[in-house]
Amino acid sequence: MDRYPFTRDLVLIGGGHSHALVLRKWGMDPLAGVRVSVINPGPTAAYSGMLPGFVAGHYTRDDLDIDLVKLARFAGARFINGAVTGIDRTARTVTVPGRPPIGYDVLAIDVGITSEMPALDGFAAHGIPAKPLGAFAQAWEDYRARATAPQIAVIGGGVAGAELALAMAHALRDRSPKLHLIDRSRALAALGDKARHKMLAALAGYGVDIIENADVTQVLPQGVLLKDGRLIQSDFTTGAAGAKPHDWIAGTGLDLQDGFITVNAQLQTSDPMVFAVGDCAHMAASPRPKAGVYAVRQAPVLFDNLRAVLSGGQMRDYSAQRDYLKLISLGRKSALAEKFGTIWQGPLLWRLKDRIDRKFMMRLDDLPAMPAPVMPKTAALGLREALGDKPMCGGCGAKVGRAALQQVLGDAFGDDAGQVQMGQVITTDHLRALVADPVLMTQIAAIHALGDIWAMGATPQAATAQIILPRMDAALQQRSMAEIMASVTATMSKAGARIVGGHSALGDELTIGFTITGLVDRPITLAGARPGDALILTKPIGSGTIMAADMAGQAHGGDVIACLDLMVQSQAAASAILRQAHAMTDVTGFGLLGHLRGICDASATGAVLDWAQVPLMAGAAALAAKGVRSTLFADNQAGAGMIGGAVPDLAYDPQTAGGLLAAVAAKSADDLLRALTEAGYQAAIIGQITQAPEITLR
């Protein structure tokens, strides 16, 4: 896709079923010239069809969750981890708190619904809405793990509430749960008599107390207060009553029906550049109830119509089916099916439902592998080896190896930054993009470059920016530069530095770098470590492995987001805490052992590293055990030299915007570690400096 200049921005708000399928189709058949962004509050979206099975204990959280980070990577889209709070249709921008406005040419909305009850006193503080599904799933997982004498109240006696109550009763059946299903009128009124009778029988079989014609007036920490004065004891109160649109939709200026976005047969809203699908949309031409089956079947039409409006083609209509097969879980592995008034029940229907749901999830998880570079028939000797068997990593994974630099630079190779004059240091650094989001990439590159200043115990002073944008038209250049410069200014200002200039250009891919000066009274260098010093590391390692796995579609989205969050963590406070360190560096491209080797070589010492104490990023160890490595791994292994003991692969893993590695007096190590922990760092004492020149792992 990136071979062609970008000329249009497509932004997908929400990770609902339609958008997940659109991302998969986009990865298979992208539209040249379109830059895609997907915005969602969290790396995953829960699949509604499997929620009752998850609640009942038949599925794990991994079974339930759609990995949007993985899908976005497959589609070549930038994933923005945040919650939308508004749309400016005049400026064509989307607002996500904490970042610059996101520009769009075409927009699609698939954010589902919520079952929050803002008008119900106490619900916001003590209740848990059944939708959005992801937050509910996490709350249930936590409750199920700790509940000993469960007391549960489900407000809303429709099919969704009854299905949840059955699932909860089954999951907690060995703990004698007390469950109450509360409805303001008649429970399961939307079902026909036969289906209702069977559902009521299933609820009775699990001992669920059905309270009908009851108005809830208040939700309290200890339960639910009814209008007639009864207090229903509950330590887990959830709301599954009705469907409520997200509040920010009311401010979009789009035509709405009962708060839901009105769409035509082409899934367009009253603004032809804005589409909406799934439960957040109201199909004016053929109104239907809120059900995931419609969102799934809208996906191919949405995909075609987005491509059409972006390329000047013809759109097509979406035709909603009149009825669909409703499969309702009954707690245990049994299900009730209904269509056109005909009812079936039994374990075979559960197996049918399970097969349908797993097939859907498999489509979103089993993504084609990235193709290897195509070799010409005739090529120079060594080309195949130089290409390797996978794409080159971004960030520090794209650096030149330590051994090669040391051989070429000789004595000039060493400290993170250099002294310009007494009291002033300077550094320069740039990164090849490892994520498609220019705002996040700017933050990562800035923190990475600032690390050299912080590693010398200096305070950042001034910075110039060097920015290479992928080829794009003038409008997208302006959008991208506005996002980047807002991010640069915010990050550098927070660090105490000001932007004094820079340079920009267009190229094959996004590359961001900085030259930064800093002020310091006593520069902390690589030299100065003393035998007996304790080694402190201020951030977990593993980013190279995680991002390499992300490129290959092998990493969990949650682990990727957690990794990126660590990358953008400032080391300013850590640098101040470690200001009296004898030697210090930031752990970046050469990996933990490569940078430790730098301290030992400069200080004429050795080190003993206690690998069990080295903090690791979530998911990194499992990926390393599968053989996932950054493309810089072999160079880092060579650059670290001879190491004693069994060396895990992660010890050579290149880090982008990594933590500080400091050699400190042993007597002050515990106090420094305590200060770092209180400042919010996942820091650890990981070894000590030795007299002997070798580095050994134990």
Side-chain angles (χ1 to χ4, degrees):
M1 281 191 299
D2 294 350
R3 292 177 298 172
Y4 303 99
F6 291 126
T7 62
R8 292 291 184 273
D9 269 319
L10 168 62
V11 175
L12 308 178
I13 299 177
H17 303 353
S18 292
H19 280 180
L21 290 168
V22 164
L23 286 170
R24 187 187 193 281
K25 289 176 70 68
W26 200 278
M28 301 291 289
D29 186 17
L31 180 61
V34 178
R35 180 172 62 175
V36 182
S37 303
V38 56
I39 308 169
N40 194 71
T44 61
Y47 171 46
S48 59
M50 296 176 82
L51 181 68
F54 164 76
V55 172
H58 306 318
Y59 301 122
T60 67
R61 186 63 191 270
D62 282 346
D63 293 330
L64 176 72
D65 283 342
I66 299 168
D67 195 328
L68 297 174
V69 176
K70 183 177 178 180
L71 278 170
R73 173 71 82 170
F74 177 71
R78 63 170 170 169
F79 179 80
I80 297 171
N81 183 31
V84 170
T85 57
I87 299 169
D88 184 337
R89 292 192 296 112
T90 302
R92 288 194 178 178
T93 58
V94 178
T95 301
V96 176
R99 59 172 296 135
I102 301 155
Y104 70 87
D105 295 292
V106 176
L107 186 69
I109 306 171
D110 184 13
V111 294
I113 55 178
T114 176
S115 53
E116 294 174 353
M117 302 177 184
L120 179 56
D121 186 21
F123 186 83
H126 310 299
I128 301 160
K131 292 188 177 182
L133 300 181
F136 174 82
Q138 186 60 57
W140 171 252
E141 199 167 41
D142 294 342
Y143 176 78
R144 183 182 175 188
R146 70 174 188 273
T148 54
Q151 298 186 98
I152 298 170
V154 180
I155 303 173
V159 173
E163 198 173 20
L164 275 181
L166 286 166
M168 291 173 173
H170 182 80
L172 302 172
R173 61 193 181 281
D174 58 343
R175 303 180 217 178
S176 303
K178 294 181 180 179
L179 277 100
H180 309 275
L181 183 64
I182 307 169
D183 198 89
R184 64 188 309 172
S185 56
R186 185 170 180 255
L188 297 165
L191 293 178
D193 287 343
K194 290 183 179 179
R196 183 174 185 271
H197 176 75
K198 289 183 179 293
M199 285 292 291
L200 290 174
L203 289 163
Y206 275 109
V208 177
D209 178 27
I210 301 173
I211 304 172
E212 296 180 309
N213 303 307
D215 286 324
V216 176
T217 59
Q218 190 176 8
V219 177
L220 303 168
Q222 67 271 31
V224 175
L225 184 64
L226 303 182
K227 189 176 182 179
D228 61 12
R230 282 181 291 170
L231 177 65
I232 308 301
Q233 294 289 332
S234 172
D235 57 359
F236 188 91
T237 300
T238 186
K244 178 181 178 295
H246 292 275
D247 292 337
W248 63 267
I249 289 174
T252 61
L254 297 167
D255 288 350
L256 306 177
Q257 175 69 42
D258 298 325
F260 299 97
I261 305 169
T262 301
V263 298
N264 61 19
Q266 292 81 41
L267 306 176
Q268 283 176 302
T269 69
S270 53
D271 183 334
M273 293 297 106
V274 180
F275 293 73
V277 288
D279 287 351
C280 70
H282 167 71
M283 295 180 285
S286 53
R288 294 290 188 274
K290 304 299 180 187
V293 65
Y294 297 114
V296 171
R297 296 189 181 186
Q298 285 171 339
V301 178
L302 177 64
F303 175 77
D304 290 345
N305 289 353
L306 290 174
R307 290 174 62 91
V309 77
L310 286 161
S311 62
Q314 282 291 118
M315 292 192 292
R316 65 186 180 102
D317 290 353
Y318 166 70
S319 298
Q321 65 269 40
R322 186 165 62 88
D323 197 7
Y324 63 96
L325 179 65
K326 304 173 188 68
L327 288 165
I328 304 169
S329 298
L330 298 177
R332 60 181 58 87
K333 290 184 178 181
S334 181
L336 179 74
E338 188 273 333
K339 187 174 184 181
F340 295 125
T342 304
I343 307 299
W344 305 271
Q345 181 180 343
L348 286 177
L349 291 167
W350 163 263
R351 289 164 60 185
L352 173 63
K353 176 175 168 53
D354 178 62
R355 186 161 61 247
I356 292 171
D357 290 338
R358 288 188 184 275
K359 182 179 178 181
F360 174 80
M361 292 298 284
M362 183 64 70
R363 291 170 64 189
L364 300 175
D365 187 57
D366 187 15
L367 304 173
M370 297 175 66
V374 178
M375 286 287 294
K377 290 182 179 179
T378 305
L381 295 173
L383 178 60
R384 187 178 300 277
E385 292 76 12
L387 279 174
D389 58 358
K390 58 184 178 181
M392 182 173 66
C393 293
C396 276
K399 289 185 70 169
V400 175
R402 183 179 189 273
L405 287 175
Q406 190 172 33
Q407 197 166 24
V408 172
L409 297 176
D411 292 340
F413 177 76
D415 281 311
D416 302 283
Q419 286 199 68
V420 180
Q421 56 188 357
M422 288 296 294
Q424 187 181 49
V425 295
I426 188 170
T427 187
T428 189
D429 220 322
H430 75 272
L431 296 176
R432 184 174 167 268
L434 47 78
V435 292
D437 179 12
V439 171
L440 180 57
M441 193 60 229
T442 300
Q443 295 171 342
I444 292 170
I447 295 297
H448 178 78
L450 285 162
D452 291 341
I453 300 295
W454 288 322
M456 297 198 80
T459 301
Q461 178 191 28
T464 61
Q466 299 90 45
I467 300 163
I468 300 175
L469 295 178
R471 287 188 300 159
M472 57 185 67
D473 71 7
L476 268 67
Q477 289 176 37
Q478 184 176 346
R479 283 178 188 166
S480 298
M481 287 300 293
E483 285 188 315
I484 289 171
M485 291 314 298
S487 183
V488 167
T489 302
T491 305
M492 289 297 176
S493 295
K494 189 175 180 180
R498 61 189 180 94
I499 296 292
V500 295
H503 180 75
S504 63
L506 296 179
D508 289 335
E509 59 187 351
L510 179 64
T511 303
I512 300 175
F514 300 94
T515 299
I516 307 175
T517 60
L519 302 176
V520 63
D521 294 328
R522 181 189 69 87
I524 305 173
T525 66
L526 295 176
R530 306 168 188 174
D533 280 353
L535 287 167
I536 292 181
L537 180 65
T538 64
K539 274 189 189 181
I541 65 170
S543 64
T545 293
I546 291 172
M547 297 313 296
D550 180 41
M551 287 182 64
Q554 298 177 19
H556 289 292
D559 293 341
V560 174
I561 295 300
C563 170
L564 295 171
D565 287 344
L566 281 167
M567 286 188 200
V568 299
Q569 183 186 36
S570 169
Q571 296 295 288
S575 176
I577 291 168
L578 296 169
R579 195 60 56 88
Q580 299 305 313
H582 297 153
M584 190 154 65
T585 186
D586 57 335
V587 179
T588 52
F590 304 144
L592 178 59
L593 284 181
H595 288 284
L596 177 57
R597 173 67 70 187
I599 287 178
C600 291
D601 286 354
S603 303
T605 61
V608 172
L609 197 63
D610 187 351
W611 183 253
Q613 301 306 312
V614 176
L616 304 178
M617 293 185 183
L623 290 168
K626 294 178 181 178
V628 178
R629 295 172 175 174
S630 165
T631 51
L632 195 60
F633 174 86
D635 287 317
N636 281 354
Q637 195 172 36
M642 292 296 295
I643 306 294
V647 184
D649 285 357
L650 287 174
Y652 300 114
D653 190 47
Q655 306 303 293
T656 302
L660 300 176
L661 177 64
V664 303
K667 63 181 180 181
S668 61
D670 289 339
D671 290 340
L672 292 172
L673 181 61
R674 188 177 305 110
L676 288 165
T677 302
E678 290 173 355
Y681 295 102
Q682 298 178 44
I685 299 172
I686 63 169
Q688 64 180 16
I689 297 294
T690 62
Q691 183 74 49
E694 64 269 5
I695 296 176
T696 304
L697 268 71
R698 65 183 181 195

